[in-house]
């Protein structure tokens, strides 16, 4: 692995209340923790007040609200002093256009149209006025006003430019002369004249396939890379599937990075969902992409899935079917959700694609329907023709099989796309298929199909009930051999729930009867309002989420459920909100938590599963941190952290407590073993995860020679199936590092514990040291009961 690729990263979400100065202040703690690099959210100038940075409005300088260039330079200096590196998060696909005065390029485009020097920047149809969907009603054009100097049109707090020479007359007359039209916000889905990010009209797509646009939008970030190659390792590319030609973009970016002092070793990652195929294999990145790997959702699926008991699937199915009254297949739910996206949300995009198909004029509505059906049939997020031809063929077969009446039109689309992979039809289809899948699956189906939401994760496969140890080991061995510089992750700013929520919910696959009894009891006492107001699947999601994130306030949980119901789009939605429904959902958590009896029942059930969930949480963390790839730690997750989807997972992190606990650990304090009577919030409980995290990160940073190769280490004895272990750091039989985790801990306890189970270690009779506890481990086949006497994990190292 290249020296510029760090041993690990730590993800930090920057915002006005956690700016670059705050990040600089954290560098010492992160270095002490053992993190190899700081991986921040985007640093370029976003829209005013942005809390995430993905709505960049000016790519020419650092975010002023975070402290600007001086603060960025200070952060780089602090990283250099500690020997840490940095990974830069870059957003090439889109820019923020919600506040036109903040975005110089968009302001110029609106003002001058095709005469703007930025006319080539955006993927917009300049043959017609640019539609800006902002008005509250179709008649709100009457509310337009002109600024005193008549250089701006104003709609309440919104400001738009007036083209030179068009300023005479009433505001409405001036408006009709502009290169844009302010229209009712509902017209955006069907009539938008510029490509956007998914269904977000406030984010307009950028044409980085144009070399001049690429240089203009990347110059500042590339300057940062060139200026500090001893600190900056490389770039993480956001949403490459949205680009017109992601392969060509990455090739150009790799070439530009190679011109810096990083050379060919620059670290280049893509935020890309790789799908799990029907045959159980994971989709690979196109071979033409010069990227080191993805940001790790495939690893998340594997690491979390191995703690799910496949034997619980039938009972989990039964509980879910009993509660919802149905047994809908995931594929059916996904197709319905994708068609909702094509038919209601991305209507403009679908019609634009259909109009490009030869013969469209002969049967326009049939062609629109065929495009929508083919988009909904895609087995992956996007094909990359010609490399992705097999995925297109599979989608064609699926669409023709489900809609024989559209078969001729679907095959016509296929023929046209294959005839010229570089034509506009092909490129726009490929861009849109990713949007349909992301909005239809992650942002809709994963809030509807809720039999077992521990698996409903970005990049996940909810209908695959867990991952077997054999599958886990095979995936890890492949990662070590094929993409050792790929990132791995357990939590991100985009995950539906934190790693520890999933770890706790995984226990339900072992305690299925107890889960069913709890659900029946509590849902009968506190049903979500029905009669058309809510769906049974939302209630199933609600109780799992409440158990997974407990303890949680009514305010936090009400906000989550409101978002979840709108994402599901069954009884309310972000676009078509139903106030009566929203009020009923928001009020439900307050009613549940106001009941002392119910709170006592919830706490009792959480106590039953929590210690097993913490065992899973430690196991997940160790397997990720010690395994192949470059592990990322999401902010705050070095302690047990129970968060739901954003904005819940972007809440402020108590770093003061983490600093204090790490200092105590370094002073010799050892957290107590996990117990059924633990206070979940006590220092002893939360710091068990910190001691595992620090041990693994420090070892990766200071003993990198231990983290290569991969060999499964099977246990032997009556409970061998509950031990998951692998070895690294040497040729087979002479490895110098072994990671051990407890799998299915509730079943282990029910089976009578470890008993005489042993773990044969490589290397003969050498002694080992558990780096988590600091204790020696003598012998070649220690008893697992002794090895894991204090904690359910161990990280063993032996001398060379």
């Amino acid at each position: 692995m290249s020296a510029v690729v760090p041993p690990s990263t730590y993800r930090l979400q920057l915002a006005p209340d956690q700016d670059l100065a705050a990040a600089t202040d954290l560098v010492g703690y992160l270095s002490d923790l053992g993190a190899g690099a700081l991986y921040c959210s985007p640093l370029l100038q976003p829209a005013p007040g942005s809390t995430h940075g993905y709505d960049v409005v000016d790519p020419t300088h650092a975010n002023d609200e975070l402290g600007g260039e001086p603060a960025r330079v200070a952060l780089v200096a602090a990283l250099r002093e500690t020997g840490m590196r940095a990974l830069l998060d870059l957003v090439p696909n889109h820019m923020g256009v919600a506040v036109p005065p903040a975005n110089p390029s968009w302001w110029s485009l609106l003002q001058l149209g095709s005469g703007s020097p930025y006319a080539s920047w955006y993927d917009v149809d300049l043959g017609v006025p640019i539609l800006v969907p902002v008005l509250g009603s179709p008649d709100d054009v009457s509310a337009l006003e002109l600024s005193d100097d008549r250089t701006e049109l104003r709609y309440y707090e919104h400001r738009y430019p007036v083209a030179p020479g068009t300023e005479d007359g009433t505001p409405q007359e001036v408006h009709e002369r502009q290169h844009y039209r302010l229209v009712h916000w509902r017209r955006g889905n069907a009539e938008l004249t510029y490509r956007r990010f998914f269904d977000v009209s406030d984010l307009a797509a950028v044409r980085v396939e144009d070399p001049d646009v690429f240089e203009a939008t990347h110059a500042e970030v590339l300057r940062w890379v060139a200026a500090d190659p001893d600190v900056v390792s490389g770039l993480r590319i956001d949403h490459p599937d949205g680009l017109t030609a992601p392969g060509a973009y990455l090739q150009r970016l790799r070439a530009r990075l190679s011109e810096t002092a990083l050379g060919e070793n620059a670290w280049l990652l893509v935020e890309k969902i790789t799908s799990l195929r029907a045959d159980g294999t994971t989709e690979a990145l196109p071979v033409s992409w010069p990227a080191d790997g993805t940001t790790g959702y495939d690893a998340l699926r594997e690491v979390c899935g191995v703690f799910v008991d496949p034997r619980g699937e039938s009972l989990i199915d039964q509980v879910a079917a009993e509660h919802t009254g149905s047994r809908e297949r995931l594929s059916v739910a996904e197709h319905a959700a994708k068609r909702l996206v094509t038919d209601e949300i991305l209507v403009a995009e679908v019609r634009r694609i259909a109009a490009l198909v030869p013969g469209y004029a002969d049967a326009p509505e049939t062609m629109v329907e065929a495009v929508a059906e083919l988009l909904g049939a895609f087995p992956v997020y996007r094909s990359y023709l010609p490399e992705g031809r097999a995925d297109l063929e599979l989608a064609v077969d699926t669409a023709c099989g489900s809609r024989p009446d559209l078969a001729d039109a679907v095959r016509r689309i296929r023929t046209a796309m294959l005839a010229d992979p570089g034509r506009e039809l092909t490129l726009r289809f490929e861009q849109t298929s990713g949007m349909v899948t992301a909005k239809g699956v992650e942002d809709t189906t994963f809030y509807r199909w809720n039999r077992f939401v521990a698996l409903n994760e970005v990049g996940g496969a909810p209908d695959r009930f867990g991952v077997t140890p054999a599958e886990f080991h095979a995936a890890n061995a492949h990662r070590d051999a094929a993409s050792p510089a790929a990132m791995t992750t357990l939590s991100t700013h985009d995950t539906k729930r934190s790693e520890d929520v999933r770890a706790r919910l995984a226990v339900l696959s072992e305690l299925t009867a107890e889960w069913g009894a709890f659900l029946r009891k509590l849902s009968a006492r506190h049903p979500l309002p029905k009669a058309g107001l809510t769906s049974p699947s939302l209630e199933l999601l609600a109780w799992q989420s409440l158990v997974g994130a407990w303890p949680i306030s009514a305010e936090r949980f009400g906000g989550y459920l409101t978002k979840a119901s709108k994402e599901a789009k069954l009884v309310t939605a972000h676009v078509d909100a139903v106030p009566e429904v929203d009020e009923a959902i928001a009020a439900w958590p307050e009613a549940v938590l106001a009941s002392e009896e119910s709170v006592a029942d919830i706490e009792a059930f959480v106590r039953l599963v929590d210690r097993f969930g913490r065992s899973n949480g430690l196991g997940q963390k160790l397997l990720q941190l010690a395994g192949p790839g470059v592990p990322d730690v999401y902010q705050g997750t070095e302690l047990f952290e129970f968060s739901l989807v954003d904005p819940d997972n972007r809440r402020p992190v108590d770093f003061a407590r983490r600093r204090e606990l790490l200092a105590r650990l370094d002073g010799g304090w050892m957290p107590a073993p996990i117990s059924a009577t633990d206070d979940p919030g006590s220092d002893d409980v939360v710091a068990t995860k910190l001691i595992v995290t620090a041990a693994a990160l420090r070892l990766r940073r200071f003993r990198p020679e231990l983290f290569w190769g991969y060999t499964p280490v099977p246990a032997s004895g009556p409970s061998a199936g509950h031990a998951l272990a692998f070895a690294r750091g040497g040729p087979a039989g002479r490895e110098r590092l072994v990671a051990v985790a407890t799998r299915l801990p509730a079943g282990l306890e029910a089976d009578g514990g470890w008993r005489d189970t042993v773990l044969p270690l490589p290397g003969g009779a050498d002694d080992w040291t558990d780096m988590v506890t600091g204790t020696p481990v003598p012998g070649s086949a220690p008893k697992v009961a002794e090895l894991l006497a204090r904690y359910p994990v161990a990280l063993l190292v032996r001398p060379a």
Side-chain angles (χ1 to χ4, degrees), residues 423-720:
R423 70 193 301 170
E424 184 180 4
L425 164 65
T426 307
L427 298 176
R428 292 201 179 279
F429 188 97
E430 291 186 331
Q431 287 173 317
T432 306
S433 71
M435 295 195 291
V436 170
T437 300
K439 293 301 299 179
V441 178
E442 294 171 35
D443 294 343
T444 303
T445 307
F446 283 7
Y447 290 95
R448 291 180 172 185
W449 203 81
N450 296 313
R451 68 163 183 172
F452 188 65
V453 300
L455 302 177
N456 288 25
E457 196 47 84
V458 181
D463 57 340
R464 300 292 186 91
F465 206 82
V467 173
T468 67
E471 292 169 336
F472 174 82
H473 288 309
N476 261 351
H478 182 268
R479 184 173 297 109
D480 179 67
S483 54
M487 182 178 282
T488 65
T489 190
L490 294 178
S491 299
T492 77
H493 56 291
D494 284 330
T495 44
K496 305 299 182 187
R497 48 198 59 81
S498 71
E499 61 204 60
D500 292 315
V501 171
R502 294 193 303 272
R504 183 186 284 172
L505 290 176
V507 181
L508 303 187
S509 68
E510 299 190 78
L511 302 179
T512 52
E514 292 85 346
W515 160 240
F518 171 83
L519 179 64
R520 294 182 195 100
K521 179 180 181 180
L522 271 292
S523 61
R525 189 184 300 160
H526 296 286
L528 267 168
K530 297 295 194 301
L533 290 187
T534 60
S535 65
S537 67
L538 178 65
E539 191 172 53
L540 190 60
L541 171 67
W543 287 110
Q544 290 177 81
S545 301
L546 188 61
V547 168
W550 189 264
I552 187 170
S553 67
E555 180 182 10
R556 275 180 62 204
F557 198 59
Y560 167 73
L561 271 190
T562 298
K563 175 171 182 171
S565 63
K566 291 178 182 294
E567 296 282 18
K569 307 172 191 67
L570 290 172
V571 289
T572 185
H574 292 293
V575 173
D576 292 304
V578 182
E580 183 183 7
V581 172
D582 295 342
E583 290 167 8
I585 290 170
W588 183 79
E590 193 78 50
V592 173
L593 299 186
S595 167
E596 293 184 5
E597 181 183 19
S598 296
V599 168
D601 286 340
I602 294 168
E603 289 181 338
F605 185 69
V606 171
R607 275 196 303 273
L608 174 66
V609 302
D610 183 56
R611 63 192 170 96
F612 301 128
R614 279 183 268 132
S615 175
N616 288 343
L618 296 180
Q620 286 184 161
K621 203 68 169 178
L622 180 66
L623 296 181
Q624 182 225 358
L625 294 180
V630 181
D632 177 56
V633 176
Y634 184 69
Q635 61 176 25
T637 59
E638 62 268 38
L639 300 189
F640 287 109
E641 206 281 323
F642 300 93
S643 290
L644 299 170
V645 74
D646 70 292
D648 197 58
N649 64 12
R650 304 189 197 207
R651 291 172 294 127
V653 175
D654 186 354
F655 282 109
R657 188 184 189 196
R658 286 160 174 78
R659 288 182 197 263
E660 187 268 334
L661 290 174
L662 186 61
R664 287 175 60 189
L665 290 175
D666 288 341
W669 171 60
M670 182 70 66
I674 290 177
S675 164
T677 60
D678 288 340
D679 171 7
S682 70
D683 288 355
D684 274 307
V685 169
V686 299
T688 54
K689 195 175 182 192
L690 181 61
I691 196 172
V692 170
T693 303
L697 288 180
R698 289 171 175 179
L699 206 57
R700 287 194 77 106
R701 184 170 178 186
F702 300 111
R703 298 287 306 280
E705 74 278 4
L706 296 176
F707 294 90
W708 65 275
Y710 188 88
T711 306
V713 178
S716 177
S719 297

Side-chain angles (χ1 to χ4, degrees), residues 15-145:
D17 60 354
Q18 183 167 271
D19 59 12
L20 287 162
T24 301
D25 183 63
L26 286 172
V27 168
Y29 160 72
L30 297 179
S31 180
D32 291 343
L33 184 64
L38 180 59
Y39 161 36
C40 289
S41 51
L43 300 183
L44 292 170
Q45 183 66 50
S50 174
T51 59
H52 50 77
Y54 287 93
D55 47 356
V56 172
V57 296
D58 188 346
T60 66
H61 65 93
N63 187 348
D64 290 329
E65 292 188 48
L66 299 180
E69 180 66 4
R72 188 196 69 80
V73 171
L75 174 59
V76 169
L79 292 170
R80 179 181 291 111
E81 185 176 346
T82 61
M84 290 180 64
R85 301 197 70 103
L87 175 66
L88 302 179
D89 196 345
L90 185 62
V91 188
N93 178 69
H94 54 268
M95 289 176 62
V97 298
V99 186
N103 185 330
S105 58
W106 186 251
W107 182 269
S108 174
L109 181 63
L110 294 180
Q111 183 180 47
L112 303 176
S114 60
S116 167
Y118 300 98
S120 63
W121 275 40
Y122 294 94
D123 189 356
V124 58
D125 183 356
L126 293 176
V128 295
I130 302 169
L131 291 190
V132 181
V134 69
L135 301 183
S137 74
D139 299 326
D140 257 9
V141 70
S142 63
L144 294 180
E145 297 178 348

